[in-house]
Amino acid sequence: MPLLRSWIDSANSATTPFPLNNLPHGVFSVGEGDLRCGIAIGDRVIDATVLEAAGLLRADPEADVLDAPYWNDFMELGPKAWADYRARLTAMLAEGADEATQDALTTFSVPLAEAALHLPFKVTEYTDFYAGKHHATNVGTMFRGAENALPPNWLSIPIGYNGRASSVVVSGTDVRRPWGQLKAPDAELPVFAPCKRFDLELELGAVVGQASSGPVTVAEAEDMIFGYVLLNDWSARDIQAWEYQPLGPFQAKATATTISPWIVPKAALAPFRVPVPARERPLLPYLDEATPGLYDIDLSVSLAPAGKAASTISRTNYREMYYSAAQQLAHHTTSGCPMNVGDLLGSGTISGPEKSARGSLLELSWGGKEPLTLDSGEARSFLEDGDRLTLHGTAHGDGYTIGFGDCTGRLLAALADPYAR
Ligand code: MN
């Protein structure tokens, strides 16, 4: 599909992340104004809340679904309503739309540069997976040796853990270095101290837009997914190393999870679908996937020390994953686990086969043994106070680009001992 041209000129460049082909969903405010649902196009944000209230574009003729600072009520309407709304908004923004429509949408939109962006949806639940084979192999090699790198279940089960919805923050939110229990390998006992190995995980988050109350197929799971966000699963590696056995990560992953301000709808990513890689062991039939469930999305990570320019520290692609979000979601429901509108599923760290394509500092610095040298000349094994970390994601179409908006956060120094008396 080529670039869809809009009467909003800034949406027609090959490099804007928000052409008419995208129309991502976010929540914005201007000045002291209320939070509203918005859709980005070019350098503007369409005020979807006001469009609904004015009767110009309604997702549900009976009820207001955008009179709240989140897209959850809209998502609950389901795939047919999503597609119908998208088609009508696309027509209103397309080149050749009538003058009255152009006037109304100009009135009911604001410059993106003036908008403060907030969490685009109410995160009701959060699960994080471990579906990147390169990442799992790298981490397993460091923790258990090359012979036992992949756990025996890994090629059969999309491994995950139940995370904390309360930890999810929008891009731009500062993250505070946590304290926790740390135990050096040669120490007899743990200490309570600030994390010394604070890290990122480059991931994509799938936003679940439909509820389920029993096991669903991969095809049904695919239909339940509303869209995708960039996701940084901040990780305290030293806390994780001591706590993770036998029940998996806990406090190491609970400080913060940053997501991009825009949910890119699944429809905008449809031209970029790619199948999961060949199976190295046959999956149980309930995990078979008919529709290619991965996407060709270029991803990169940049790190800027306080007051210094940013260095790109990783470049990879979402197509490197072994399991798709639909496979993860289907597996999540096998037990009868209910899924809710606003469930967020982290993909797992997206690492490629090359060293430069690793999606965490743990892998990039090989557990701290091979520090990176940034463009500024500084060395990094893990994050330092003041570092700004930014994830970027783009899909490249015929004359257009689909983007998510930056997913960024700055690491603040640990506070004083929270238990000191
Ligand atoms: Mn993760």
Side-chain angles (χ1 to χ4, degrees):
M1 179 188 288
L3 169 75
L4 301 175
R5 296 190 65 84
S6 171
W7 51 264
I8 296 179
D9 285 340
S10 58
N12 295 330
S13 92
T15 54
T16 175
F18 309 126
L20 184 52
N21 305 61
N22 192 346
L23 300 182
H25 302 257
V27 167
F28 75 101
S29 61
V30 177
E32 298 299 304
D34 291 344
L35 274 60
R36 300 158 177 285
C37 292
I39 291 193
I41 174 140
D43 61 5
R44 297 192 73 79
V45 183
I46 303 290
D47 188 333
T49 298
V50 167
L51 279 187
E52 177 184 69
L56 289 172
L57 181 62
R58 301 187 59 84
D60 182 342
E62 313 278 300
D64 286 349
V65 293
L66 300 177
D67 59 344
Y70 43 75
W71 283 87
N72 296 56
D73 296 343
F74 174 91
M75 291 195 275
E76 196 164 350
L77 296 176
K80 191 179 170 303
W82 308 341
D84 183 55
Y85 184 91
R86 180 174 174 81
R88 285 184 287 145
L89 182 58
T90 300
M92 292 168 81
L93 287 166
E95 230 172 36
D98 64 65
E99 210 156 303
T101 299
Q102 294 193 24
D103 287 349
L105 287 190
T106 303
T107 305
F108 297 143
S109 65
V110 301
L112 187 53
E114 290 173 16
L117 301 175
H118 308 272
L119 275 180
F121 66 108
K122 192 162 56 181
V123 183
T124 52
E125 313 258 3
Y126 168 49
T127 300
D128 194 35
F129 286 87
Y130 192 54
K133 183 156 175 280
H134 304 293
H135 171 72
T137 303
N138 287 337
V139 173
T141 302
M142 274 182 268
F143 283 31
R144 293 180 294 273
E147 297 301 301
N148 303 305
L150 273 190
N153 55 11
W154 200 91
L155 292 172
S156 297
I157 299 179
I159 301 290
Y161 64 92
N162 289 307
R164 295 285 303 174
S166 61
S167 77
V168 180
V169 296
V170 73
S171 175
T173 308
D174 290 336
V175 174
R176 177 78 64 184
R177 182 184 296 276
W179 286 66
Q181 276 205 28
L182 320 176
K183 195 188 85 63
D186 52 352
E188 193 182 334
L189 293 172
V191 296
F192 188 71
C195 166
K196 293 178 182 62
R197 301 182 133 213
F198 204 63
D199 197 1
L200 74 132
E201 289 192 342
L202 166 60
E203 305 193 20
L204 212 62
V207 180
V208 177
Q210 290 283 275
S212 66
S213 56
V216 303
T217 65
V218 174
E220 289 164 341
E222 174 66 46
D223 287 342
M224 289 166 64
I225 295 171
F226 176 68
Y228 291 85
V229 291
L230 297 175
L231 185 150
N232 180 358
D233 173 24
W234 302 95
S235 299
R237 299 302 182 192
D238 38 9
I239 297 173
Q240 185 178 356
W242 172 231
E243 76 175 3
Y244 89 103
Q245 297 190 71
L247 288 185
F250 186 38
Q251 293 306 290
K253 304 283 194 169
T255 299
T257 303
T258 304
I259 62 171
S260 61
W262 299 105
I263 309 171
V264 174
K266 194 171 55 181
L269 293 170
F272 309 102
R273 280 183 182 272
V274 289
V276 291
R279 301 295 90 181
E280 293 172 37
R281 179 198 293 168
L283 292 176
L284 291 170
Y286 80 90
L287 283 171
D288 283 345
E289 180 159 271
T291 308
L294 296 181
Y295 297 93
D296 180 3
I297 301 172
D298 283 335
L299 300 163
S300 66
V301 181
S302 63
L303 194 168
K308 301 268 173 62
S311 301
T312 298
I313 60 170
S314 178
R315 289 180 198 280
T316 183
N317 191 293
Y318 178 59
R319 67 189 305 162
E320 299 289 354
M321 302 312 278
Y322 191 79
Y323 295 102
S324 70
Q327 288 175 314
Q328 292 170 328
L329 176 51
H331 180 72
H332 207 323
T333 66
T334 49
S335 58
C337 176
M339 302 305 295
N340 292 313
V341 173
D343 243 301
L344 175 63
L345 308 183
S347 60
T349 307
I350 306 166
S351 292
E354 307 87 15
K355 186 172 182 184
S356 61
R358 295 173 181 169
S360 66
L361 280 166
L362 175 70
E363 297 164 85
L364 286 162
S365 74
W366 206 252
K369 293 197 178 87
E370 301 168 20
L372 302 185
T373 303
L374 304 179
D375 296 347
S376 59
E378 291 174 58
R380 278 294 179 285
S381 291
F382 294 95
L383 295 169
E384 302 281 339
D385 294 344
D387 282 355
R388 175 171 289 285
L389 213 290
T390 307
L391 312 184
H392 312 269
T394 46
H396 299 279
D398 177 9
Y400 70 96
T401 303
I402 298 287
F404 296 79
D406 285 350
C407 178
T408 189
R410 187 178 47 146
L411 180 61
L412 304 182
L415 295 174
D417 183 347
Y419 299 110
R421 293 287 183 274

